[in-house]
Amino acid sequence: MKRLIIAAVAFAALACSAEQSKDGNDSAAGASRSGSVDLTGAGATFPYPLYSKWFADYANQTGVRINYQSIGSGGGIRQLSEGTVDFGASDSPMNDEDIAKAKGRVLHVPTVLGAVAVTYNIPGLSAPIKLTGELLGELFAGKIAKWNDPRIAAINPGVALPASDILVVHRSDGSGTTFVFTDYLTNASRSWAAGPGRGKEIAWPVGLGGKGNEGVAGQVKQTPGAVGYVELAYAKQNRLPFAAIRNRAGNFVLPSPDGMTAAAAAVAEKLPANTDYRLSIVNAEGAQAYPISSFTWILLYEQQADAAKAKKLVDFLRWALTEGEKQASTLDYAPLPATMATQLLARLDAIKVGTAQ
Amino acid sequence: MTDAAAPTRETDPLGVSPVAAAMKASLHGDRIYHVLTTAFAAAVPLLLLLIAISIGLAAWPALSLAGLSFITASEWDVAAGQFGAAPAIYGTLVSSAIALVLATPLALGVSIFLSEIAPKWLRQPVGFLVDLLAAIPSVVYGLWGIFVLIPLMRDPVGPFLRETLGLAKTPMFSGPNYGYSMLAAGVILAIMILPFISAVTREVLLAVPRSQREAALALGATRWEMIRDAVLPFARSGIIGGIILGLGRALGETMAVTMLIGNRPEISASLFAPGYTMASLIANEFSEATSDMHLSALMAVGAVLFVVTLIVNAIARWLVWRVTKGAR
């Protein structure tokens, strides 16, 4: 019997270790510093497909190898603050508390744009449903109970909406996607701004929580009447239906790389020269702007300790902002507006070598 | 250790025989062995203590801020700095309880069948298959749950419980049934802990002496009476040990539960309602937590889970103690 208990415990340990390794963020990045890796970074999962392509291409062209751990934006910010990585990556800008904890001035470098799509499961609906920010605020707060609510019907004339209950599905894990979506709701819906507000994880008034894009998409797919939000790249690659959202100019826009770049361009035009690039571009102006768009950032210290590493990092960022941008839309991300990329290239000159502070 | 051994051999005034020297050497070996095993044995509790201390220290800011409301309040709002873990504590206990209620009779049935009733050639393969359930990674259970179990929970399990069994009016089975629920989490946990309980129980039943069985049969007991009155009481403490092992696994299980429970921090009487567990809460929020208080609150959840597990284990040990005492 003892032998069996030991075997059972060993089984359990095996089963657990798979999960724990996911949480062992700090050790993972530490271990990766050995070997012939030139730069290490950690952070957002959202741009990871593009970043890994960038790092592979860049290594082929220049021989500079970059190790990137996609452990989540929060982890990226933490590790940058602790100085265990050369750069961090995040889907939401660092807040003032994060900045106060960092070991020096952090430069936010927007790399590409992403969007959040509102996906739904309404049987029998062929064309994309149209929604507005105010309506989304009510929907996700549980204040609209059925799909054939007159307020939804009013902006979807001629569409046969079912009388089924609406089930809200949101992310249960902390996520930049949630931040962008709730940032939009806070911006576009007065009732949402007064209620739950924005954050990577918020207290949702109603609904089910799914872990990751796949968790939300799975629950929406399986439940008639469900509505949720996922990254556009995920929605496109999995052929999920998504809603056309009314932008500030009054047009209903489906999410697309052009729509995201248009949203960024509208904001970039008015950018002061000394901006810190902690920009929100939700609900942006511009006739074709898709309103639930966001930058994703690479974070690095303006004062770099190691001259060789600093040069490699800046060289890579220059490459990313020029050559790298061209690859963005093939993976359902959007490139930065050209004026902004130029401005950023100039800003990279501000990176200095020397000890912090 | 060589320092200790060298002088003895050289300064031995009586010129000890080779045999005695060898005995002395082996005595040193014994001592080394003694020290080493003691060190290993001490390392485990020490590690446990260190884990407890470091979790406690990390959790202290949140615990001292929220006080007792950390375990009684049910508002979990990171932005507002409100950390009430009651729904997660409730969810952990309830989902584990459902799992035990479902898995224990099943595991007992499988074990009794395999040890008492099944022909010998069937024992090994069936036992192996049941044990194999323990080797499936928990994320695979979660995926299976999403694609198979959840649709089944919606139909036919939901309607069966409500209409066929007429339980719709009871608060336990009221409200909308989306599939993602406390009940779904309990069912998946039951499947996951089944092999642990049944493996231990099977071995315990097989260890019951033949004489015990033969005595019962000789007294005219039927096979069922023999199992009920002679075999099961003899194996009682071992069976409870197996159940404790399963319970421990159920309390800490993370991935599969997170994928099926609906992740809603609310206490609801209905088993069809979504819920939350402590392990899921940590897994969901840790990777994106940056503020000190949020991290500390998650550590505090870990500390509470630690304490809850200790309490549940203590109760279970007490039960074993009671049961074995009663058996004598």
Side-chain angles (χ1 to χ4, degrees), chain A residues 162-174:
Chain A
S164 56
D165 288 334
I166 294 173
L167 171 69
V168 170
V169 183
H170 55 79
R171 288 282 290 266
S172 63
D173 48 336

Side-chain angles (χ1 to χ4, degrees), chain A residues 23-38:
Chain A
D23 294 335
N25 301 335
D26 300 44
S27 59
S32 68
R33 308 201 78 183
S34 58
S36 60
V37 170
D38 298 303

Side-chain angles (χ1 to χ4, degrees), chain B residues 115-128:
Chain B
S115 69
E116 309 295 328
I117 298 165
K120 267 224 166 89
W121 59 268
L122 199 62
R123 250 179 228 176
Q124 286 288 335
V126 174
F128 176 73

Side-chain angles (χ1 to χ4, degrees), chain A residues 19 73-74 78 101 174 205 209 222, chain B residues 138 146 154 262 264 288-290:
Chain A
E19 278 156 43
S73 303
R78 274 210 304 273
K101 274 195 282 182
Q222 285 187 358
Chain B
S138 105
I146 288 179
R154 229 173 285 160
R264 176 139 201 85
E288 288 294 330
T290 45

